Amino acid sequence: MNRDHRPDLAVLTWSRVKLLTQRRDGIFKRTLVKRLWGGREVAGGTVNGDGLEDLYIVQAGPAGRDRPDRLFLDGNGGKNLRPVPIPQTRRGKGDYVTSLDYDGNGRSDFLVMNGQLKHPGPARLLATRP
């Protein structure tokens, strides 16, 4: 998250995401907590080309009334995450997300699945533009 070449952690629970950056001595330090409602899956990737890891969070809600997903841009090495608007669906139930560079532009895109268990919903590709 902070470009120091040491692995950092994003820990997701139902009600929050915690960012833990690794110090030189190998100990993880909590740098940020964001509140959520229905956290299910998280994927990291660089959305805006600044080299910092941004986070896409799938939030699960009741089937057919799914909670909105969240995209946070990292503005300061894991010390500040800024939410940005993204296309949403309420169909299905939030299930899974992974990041990839689908269009080869050097920025992360997100493949989002909204079909948890027996609740069919759309598979969506959210592509970033330069």
Side-chain angles (χ1 to χ4, degrees), residues 23-92:
R23 300 184 326 195
R24 284 181 222 190
D25 59 7
I27 295 174
F28 287 91
K29 176 185 175 189
R30 184 177 69 189
T31 55
L32 184 74
V33 176
K34 287 281 189 182
R35 298 200 56 70
L36 304 170
W37 189 255
R40 170 118 177 114
E41 289 282 330
V42 61
T46 183
V47 172
N48 55 1
D50 64 0
L52 294 170
E53 287 289 313
D54 306 309
L55 297 178
Y56 189 104
I57 297 173
V58 172
Q59 296 191 116
R65 294 180 292 139
D66 202 23
R67 291 188 176 95
D69 295 343
R70 309 281 304 270
L71 177 62
F72 293 104
L73 297 184
D74 184 355
N76 189 16
K79 295 177 183 169
N80 180 26
L81 292 178
R82 179 175 53 91
V84 294
I86 54 174
Q88 301 286 342
T89 184
R90 293 187 60 118
R91 294 180 14 229

Side-chain angles (χ1 to χ4, degrees), residues 40-43 56-60 66 69 93-99 110-116 122-124:
R40 170 118 177 114
E41 289 282 330
V42 61
Y56 189 104
I57 297 173
V58 172
Q59 296 191 116
D66 202 23
D69 295 343
K93 190 171 185 172
D95 189 25
Y96 184 75
V97 62
T98 191
S99 65
F110 296 98
L111 179 62
V112 184
M113 309 303 283
N114 284 77
Q116 182 188 23
R124 301 177 302 135

